[in-house]
Amino acid sequence: MSRWCASLTADDPVGQVAAMGGRPVPTREGRHALGLLDGPGAATGPYRVGDVYAIGEVTLHNAPELRSRLGADGAPGDCSDGELLLRAYVRFGAAGLAAADGMFALAIAERDELVLVRDHMGARTLFHAHAGTGEGAAWAASTSLRALQRWPALDTGLHLPAVRSFLTFAYLPGRETLLRGIHEVLPGRCVRLKPDGTSVEETYWEPAEVTDERPAAEHANELRELLESATARRLPAAEPVGVLLSGGVDSSLVTALAAKLHDQAVRSYSISFGGDAPNELAYSGLVATHCHTEHQVLTVPGAAVAARLPETVALLDSPVGDPLTVPNLMLAEAVAADGMSVVLNGEGGDPVFGGPKNLPMLIHELHRDEAGVDSRARAYVDSYRKCHGDLPVLLTPGVLAELADAPPVTDLLTPYLTQGQMTSLLNQLLHTNLRTKGAHHILTKVERITASQGLEGRAPLFDRAVVNHAFRVPPRLKLAGTSEKWILKEAVRDLLPATIVDRPKSGMRVPVQQWLDGPLRELGHDLLLGDSARARGLFRQDTIRSWLRREGTLLPRQGGKLWLVLTLELWLRSFEVGA
């Protein structure tokens, strides 16, 4: 298991790869160097097609289709997924990338340029950084943020606008990272790095709204076919498969389809927080019984969360303020311990088909007094209910002064909330959800955590063809009155008990405040009020103390806010980021 790094420079490119911790792999001599890194990942290479070399983390779900498109002479039957993707690129350019479906991050050494490619949805991370100018210009790229942090040519440090973004969204949408000078490649993009220090970004795929007024039954039938195909392509050959089953409609339909389509055992896994914590085990148990899966319930005590939170946060290239990260890791361990290499999940139903975040936004649109996309973007930020409104009392005066001239966080949203590819407001919201939370929270969290256990976490609802179809379905069939994801439910109604299909979404209720008051209390106080946090100077100590004492509010949102701050502090310590 490994990840990769690459460099483009006239000054010893092989040495630059080695400095990032990479083991250089053979390529033609020149400005490029490609290398493999130790650590959890799926990197292989190099691949070669003519004079073009590449290295990547590549899993294709439609390899037979790509082989057919390339023809017998264009793709040897034994070539790897990475070589197959490179061959599609060399033959068809960006169209070859668009025709692929899978999880991939690829570096291509082509002529005197380095070409970076990230998959359509953003399942695998990809970062790049630049140093020098003119003839001394240099580029470095990697699927590992830590590798780029080690690059000697880069003068990096804490990127304060990204701190503000994380506290606003609980993840980092867009290109920014918490390390100054390091940027993330967006999903569906091909970035061409040039030897003079310039770069060109090309979009090879972006979901597009299509008017398709066919009857609802036809849309539901086509969607069902696409869901079955997407699930079938993600099932491992000749081995059991795991499914993460919460009991909601999304994970339940994936479980049902896996049970229907797979010729091996299907094992489902659910979480319990024990004691009196709310749970959905009755629903997940009902689905497991209905689908005849081998079902396991994993109990996650607060003490385990406290003990394992630092190592879990350290796995992530960018922090995610999601209290399910440790439970997700423990689930991945359970699946791996059962000998499986693939685990399916139901992620994607909300951002692709219209989950609960959209209805409040639509209501706001009906009643807002201020016109324009800026008002809509501010409402979207407010809907997160994280720390954005608390920043004036949470961040220190010095940090606030440095952020005074930074672009507003709403700039990360306005490209998707402006009429362009999407004319319907609901589709604009779904596009935003897909390209922000989907690509920079859901998919990347799942990928890094499962990869740490030698697994591949696969999400059929994020399938390219399924997403394309979702933007063909008229908005009234996705949000039908107050019924969310209506078309998705209709497509799978015959697969599941009505209790599962028609139940309102409740979400996983995580006992964050109980953890913070109990097993995480000592860790929270030591980290957030300790010498390291004070020296970094990000947060006002009086505000942190007030939150730790649960002062100033009767609402439980305070626990979620503390969780964000604690996660950020743990991540900064793991990456040894100072002020």
Side-chain angles (χ1 to χ4, degrees), residues 16 46 58 132 159 256 286 328 486 551:
Q16 301 293 332
V58 182
H159 183 50
L286 174 62
N328 289 155
W486 183 86
E551 296 174 352

Side-chain angles (χ1 to χ4, degrees), residues 69-112:
R69 184 165 180 173
L70 285 164
D73 296 334
D78 60 347
C79 74
S80 67
D81 282 1
E83 182 182 337
L84 183 59
L85 185 61
L86 178 61
R87 287 178 176 276
Y89 170 77
V90 170
R91 172 79 69 84
F92 303 114
L97 302 173
D101 179 42
M103 307 182 294
F104 50 85
L106 194 69
I108 304 170
E110 185 178 27
R111 297 185 295 275
D112 60 349

Side-chain angles (χ1 to χ4, degrees), residues 413-434:
L413 306 172
T414 51
Y416 307 109
L417 295 173
T418 304
Q419 283 205 351
Q421 286 181 305
M422 309 290 171
T423 59
S424 154
L425 175 58
L426 179 62
N427 282 343
Q428 289 171 20
L429 294 172
L430 297 182
H431 193 200
T432 307
N433 299 342
L434 180 71

Side-chain angles (χ1 to χ4, degrees), residues 347-363:
E347 303 286 8
D350 287 347
V352 175
F353 288 99
K357 188 176 180 61
N358 303 289
L359 193 57
M361 285 294 297
L362 293 171
I363 294 172

Side-chain angles (χ1 to χ4, degrees), residues 50 75 94 147 292 411 461 502:
H292 306 289
D411 282 4
L461 290 172
D502 295 323

Side-chain angles (χ1 to χ4, degrees), residues 8 16 27 150 217 261 399 466 470 507 522 534 548 567 573 578:
L8 176 67
Q16 301 293 332
T27 62
R150 291 192 292 263
L261 300 169
V399 171
V466 170
E522 184 176 347
R534 288 201 304 271
L548 288 169
T567 299
R573 289 191 179 206

